[in-house]
Amino acid sequence: MAEAPKKSLAMYKARNRNGELTDKQIALVEGVLKGTDLVAVATSAGYAASSEFYRDLGSQTVQKAIADRLQNSIASEGASIGNATMIELTNARNPASTRFQAAKWLLDAAGHGLTADNGPRGEKPVHEMTNAELEAFLARTEAVIAAGGSAPIITVKPDSGA
């Protein structure tokens, strides 16, 4: 697998107490991101005292560096892996329900799916439409059906009685 593009820890090199990382802290960040055991991270980063290690681990600069690198990894490598996994799940050898969910996820991610209220993207939920909006919605739907298309799916939610 190719190395994911990421914010380089080199930008943190030789930084000081002004909110920047030391070489030890850089090694700490790298170890945490690799999922290494914290005792091993402390040892390999060169921490002699556990109090110094845990102080650095809890510092805002180290936590920010970890969060930045993690977010970058998720946005690049993680997104690619997730997308490839969803495409693989649409394979015919998987159960229909799995293929359906994967296809739905892919369509949603591409901007072609339905919103959480089960209406077309950008469309108000039916229960929030005014009479004029409902009439326009019905006219559009009738035109789609007349042209041989499929009507939108409308999910009716029970009234809470409030």
Side-chain angles (χ1 to χ4, degrees):
M1 182 180 309
E3 178 72 17
K6 55 189 165 202
K7 287 183 182 177
S8 170
L9 284 176
M11 69 184 201
Y12 296 112
K13 288 278 187 196
R15 291 185 173 183
N16 56 29
R17 290 184 160 199
N18 298 322
E20 300 167 342
L21 298 179
T22 65
D23 287 343
K24 273 188 190 180
Q25 291 169 329
I26 291 168
L28 186 159
V29 170
E30 289 174 341
V32 167
L33 290 172
K34 288 178 184 172
T36 308
D37 175 79
L38 289 182
V39 173
V41 171
T43 303
S44 66
Y47 285 93
S50 63
S51 59
E52 179 190 11
F53 171 76
Y54 285 106
R55 183 196 68 228
D56 280 357
L57 181 61
S59 76
Q60 287 183 344
T61 50
V62 169
Q63 289 298 310
K64 182 169 179 0
I66 291 169
D68 288 350
R69 287 284 306 283
L70 186 57
Q71 181 60 38
N72 188 268
S73 176
I74 290 168
S76 57
E77 184 180 6
S80 296
I81 291 168
N83 190 59
T85 300
M86 295 309 278
I87 289 170
E88 177 62 25
L89 288 172
T90 63
N91 189 300
R93 73 175 181 272
N94 289 315
S97 61
T98 301
R99 293 192 321 270
F100 171 80
Q101 288 297 327
K104 182 180 180 314
W105 184 91
L106 288 165
L107 287 170
D108 285 344
H112 302 291
L114 300 175
T115 59
D117 64 359
N118 293 324
R121 288 201 181 271
E123 188 90 61
K124 252 186 191 179
V126 174
H127 70 277
E128 292 179 6
M129 291 183 186
T130 65
N131 283 343
E133 291 168 332
L134 279 170
E135 288 173 4
F137 173 79
L138 289 173
R140 286 191 309 274
T141 301
E142 287 170 352
V144 167
I145 293 169
S150 297
I153 297 171
I154 301 171
T155 301
V156 178
K157 296 176 185 168
D159 189 355
S160 64

